[in-house]
């Protein structure tokens, strides 16, 4: 299917550009497809990397809109979840925006959170 789009600007229309993937802006399928992809992605990524037990409930992720919280008891497990999430995301054509990614450690012993990705830097949440 050959779909092309143009933008209408104050100075006129842009040249026609072919759309390679995705759905049209405002398409009712967009949120449904995003939810399907993100649900599959978040079910696969944390498997086998430990569970977070809160009040007898096993919790691995918390999602709200397009935000995702990964929870782990150990930094090593969290890094494993992030690595697997990135790897599986590539299969789905999705990628993590590291500039918008934040790390938070909740602990009685304050210590810095190490970021192993030397190409891009994640932010760090302070106190809450």
């Amino acid at each position: 299917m050959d779909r092309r789009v143009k933008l209408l600007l104050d100075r006129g229309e842009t040249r026609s550009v072919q759309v390679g993937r995705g759905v049209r802006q405002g398409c009712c399928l967009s949120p449904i497809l995003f939810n399907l992809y993100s649900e599959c992605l978040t079910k696969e990524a944390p498997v086998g990397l430990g569970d977070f037990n809160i009040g007898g409930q096993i919790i691995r992720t918390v999602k709200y809109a397009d935000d995702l919280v990964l929870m782990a008891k150990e930094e090593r497990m969290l890094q494993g979840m992030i690595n697997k999430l990135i790897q599986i995301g590539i299969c789905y054509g999705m990628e993590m925006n590291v500039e918008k990614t934040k790390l938070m450690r909740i602990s009685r012993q304050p210590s810095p959170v190490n970021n192993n990705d030397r190409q891009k830097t994640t932010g760090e949440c302070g106190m809450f």
Side-chain angles (χ1 to χ4, degrees):
M1 186 164 134
D2 185 34
R3 290 189 303 167
R4 302 186 77 74
V5 295
K6 292 181 184 181
L7 296 177
L8 181 59
L9 305 172
D10 290 338
R11 63 179 190 270
E13 285 185 351
T14 63
R15 65 180 177 83
S16 177
V17 178
Q18 185 174 355
V19 177
R21 67 179 194 182
V23 294
R24 289 184 176 172
Q25 178 84 25
C27 178
C28 62
L29 284 177
S30 183
I32 295 168
L33 290 173
F34 178 81
N35 286 337
L36 287 172
Y37 272 76
S38 65
E39 187 67 22
C40 292
L41 183 71
T42 57
K43 282 199 183 299
E44 289 180 44
V47 171
L49 292 170
D51 298 326
F52 208 83
N53 190 329
I54 299 177
Q57 295 290 316
I58 302 299
I59 299 175
R60 294 182 181 110
T61 63
V62 177
K63 296 178 278 191
Y64 181 78
D66 64 346
D67 293 330
L68 172 67
V69 176
L70 299 175
M71 299 188 310
K73 290 182 181 180
E74 299 173 13
E75 188 175 338
R76 176 182 51 82
M77 286 186 177
L78 181 60
Q79 187 63 54
M81 290 171 79
I82 292 169
N83 293 344
K84 198 165 181 185
L85 184 72
I86 291 169
Q87 180 184 25
I88 294 169
I90 291 169
C91 296
Y92 287 106
M94 302 172 90
E95 64 182 70
M96 183 186 297
N97 186 342
V98 180
E99 284 81 22
K100 289 184 175 181
T101 302
K102 302 288 184 218
L103 301 171
M104 181 189 307
R105 173 177 287 179
I106 299 172
S107 175
R108 289 188 174 91
Q109 294 84 29
S111 60
V113 176
N114 295 324
N115 176 13
N116 295 333
D117 188 351
R118 289 167 181 75
Q119 294 174 346
K120 296 181 181 177
T121 305
T122 57
E124 196 173 315
C125 295
M127 306 284 254
F128 68 94

